[in-house]
Amino acid sequence: MRVLITGGAGFLGSHITEKFLKEGNEVIVLDNLITSTVDNIAHLFGNEKFTFIKYNVVNYIYVKEEVDLILHFACPASPIDYQKHPIHTMKVDSLGTLNTLGLAKAKNSRFVFASTSEIYGSPQEHPQKEDYWGYVNPIGVRSVYDEAKRFSEAMSMAYFREYGIDIRILRIFNTYGPRMRANDGRVVSSFITKALKNEDITIYGDGTQTRSFCYVDDLTEGIYQISLKEGLSGEVFNIGNPEEIRIIDLAKLIIELTGSSSKIEYLPLPEDDPFRRKPDIEKIKRTIDWEPTVSLRAGLMKTIEYFKSILKK
Ligand code: UDP
């Protein structure tokens, strides 16, 4: 099978690229490297089934070869990144989605869209099920990401309804693991980096807000299986780990696991920061018999080892 992955040099994209190559597929990655790095895929360059093209998918995409499967994963995804690149974020999940869906139509490819738990905004229902419509501020600082992802979901469904394209939407909840950037501003990377340097850990708000964190290998496996299974056209799935934790408890756990002497510093809560977030994953469990297997402790230990190795460099 030939697979095209946009954003394939990013944190998630590079793990997915690796997985498809490992399973014997050809992979073409398109990535403009705005928030990613070739370091994530450098070890794949010797593989003759792998092609990397530095490209911004906001522009028309031309691919000579046939493509069986497209995964549209390009997009700045951490709150700091998408607020630093608000217009690009909106373009990549509007024009970029349009172009990748157009390519899927031209090549008759299956299309998997990387959506997000952010489409639920600051959810008023808990845990979040796929049939919940969300509670999003359309003009807040997070709206560039939330609304572009919502637009992309609508656009994917339009291509499914009008042209019968085999599209699948994955609403990805908080994910962590090796290849996150130390300075991406996300909570796991930020807490681990600070703990390893014995610097103050910054908690936004009082730390009682929750998230549910999935280790990247679990997520990659779920994405791979959803991409391969027949008969899921037009379906949307939550994907993530339902193990919910308060941010204050995450900070304490990371201090414990790193043996750090970091103290906790409290800073104001950013605008529109969701108070609770936890996926209901019954649908994906039922469909592909998948659920996360890596505990938060075990996943954090692997991630801490990764950050130790990059901070040494
Ligand atoms: N957060 C924090 N300190 C940090 C970074 C993040 O307290 O240094 C909080 C943030 O306000 C949010 C949660 O951790 O409530 C998760 O933030 P992240 O940016 O990782 O992702 P989000 O789920 O908000 O998109």
Side-chain angles (χ1 to χ4, degrees), residues 117 119-120 123-134 171 173 236-238 278-283 286:
S117 52
I119 69 106
Y120 298 123
Q124 310 291 295
E125 282 184 19
H126 193 80
Q128 293 79 54
K129 270 196 179 145
E130 287 86 351
D131 60 7
Y132 176 50
W133 290 356
R171 293 183 182 151
F173 283 65
V236 52
F237 299 93
N238 286 338
K278 169 181 165 144
D280 180 309
I281 59 164
E282 288 312 308
K283 183 174 177 189
R286 244 189 355 257

Side-chain angles (χ1 to χ4, degrees), residues 9 26 40 49 60 69 82 90 103 105 107 114 131 137 166 168 197 206 208 222 244 246 266 286-287 291 296:
E26 272 182 54
N40 289 340
K49 291 191 167 174
Y60 181 85
L69 170 67
Y82 59 71
M90 296 214 77
L103 185 67
K105 177 170 167 261
K107 303 285 183 185
D131 60 7
N137 175 354
D166 182 349
R168 292 108 194 263
K197 294 180 177 167
D206 63 4
T208 57
E244 185 182 10
R246 298 187 313 168
Y266 290 90
R286 244 189 355 257
T287 308
E291 65 182 312
L296 185 58

Side-chain angles (χ1 to χ4, degrees), residues 77-97:
S78 89
I80 286 205
D81 284 342
Y82 59 71
Q83 288 171 44
K84 186 169 162 205
H85 305 287
I87 295 172
H88 178 68
T89 299
M90 296 214 77
K91 281 186 178 173
V92 76
D93 270 330
S94 54
L95 300 173
T97 306

Side-chain angles (χ1 to χ4, degrees), residues 77-79 82 118 142 174 185-188 190-191 194 202-205 209-211 213 247 269-270 273-274 277:
S78 89
Y82 59 71
E118 279 285 320
R142 296 173 86 108
N174 294 64
R186 285 181 167 127
V187 68
V188 172
S190 144
F191 284 6
K194 286 178 176 143
T202 52
I203 290 198
Y204 302 152
Q209 72 270 36
T210 72
R211 294 293 187 272
F213 297 96
I247 296 303
L269 193 65
D273 198 286
R277 187 184 282 155

Side-chain angles (χ1 to χ4, degrees), residues 117-186:
S117 52
E118 279 285 320
I119 69 106
Y120 298 123
S122 194
Q124 310 291 295
E125 282 184 19
H126 193 80
Q128 293 79 54
K129 270 196 179 145
E130 287 86 351
D131 60 7
Y132 176 50
W133 290 356
Y135 188 71
V136 173
N137 175 354
I139 55 166
V141 289
R142 296 173 86 108
S143 65
V144 292
Y145 187 67
D146 304 8
E147 295 292 11
K149 290 287 184 187
R150 290 171 71 97
F151 174 88
S152 288
E153 287 201 6
M155 180 69 92
S156 302
M157 290 307 292
Y159 269 74
F160 163 67
R161 294 193 179 106
E162 188 168 343
Y163 297 125
I165 306 297
D166 182 349
I167 70 102
R168 292 108 194 263
I169 295 168
L170 285 169
R171 293 183 182 151
I172 301 168
F173 283 65
N174 294 64
T175 305
Y176 69 99
R179 301 199 194 127
M180 296 183 93
R181 287 184 356 259
N183 60 352
D184 71 0
R186 285 181 167 127

Side-chain angles (χ1 to χ4, degrees), residues 126-128 173-176 187-188 209-216 218-219 238-247 249-250 253-254 257 275-282 285 290-301:
H126 193 80
Q128 293 79 54
F173 283 65
N174 294 64
T175 305
Y176 69 99
V187 68
V188 172
Q209 72 270 36
T210 72
R211 294 293 187 272
S212 307
F213 297 96
C214 188
Y215 188 63
V216 66
D218 279 334
L219 198 94
N238 286 338
I239 182 166
N241 190 324
E243 191 184 337
E244 185 182 10
I245 184 168
R246 298 187 313 168
I247 296 303
D249 297 324
L250 178 74
L253 180 59
I254 289 175
L257 295 177
F275 185 61
R276 295 189 79 182
R277 187 184 282 155
K278 169 181 165 144
D280 180 309
I281 59 164
E282 288 312 308
K285 256 191 194 170
W290 169 91
E291 65 182 312
T293 58
V294 182
S295 70
L296 185 58
R297 252 173 195 273
L300 284 176
M301 283 312 294

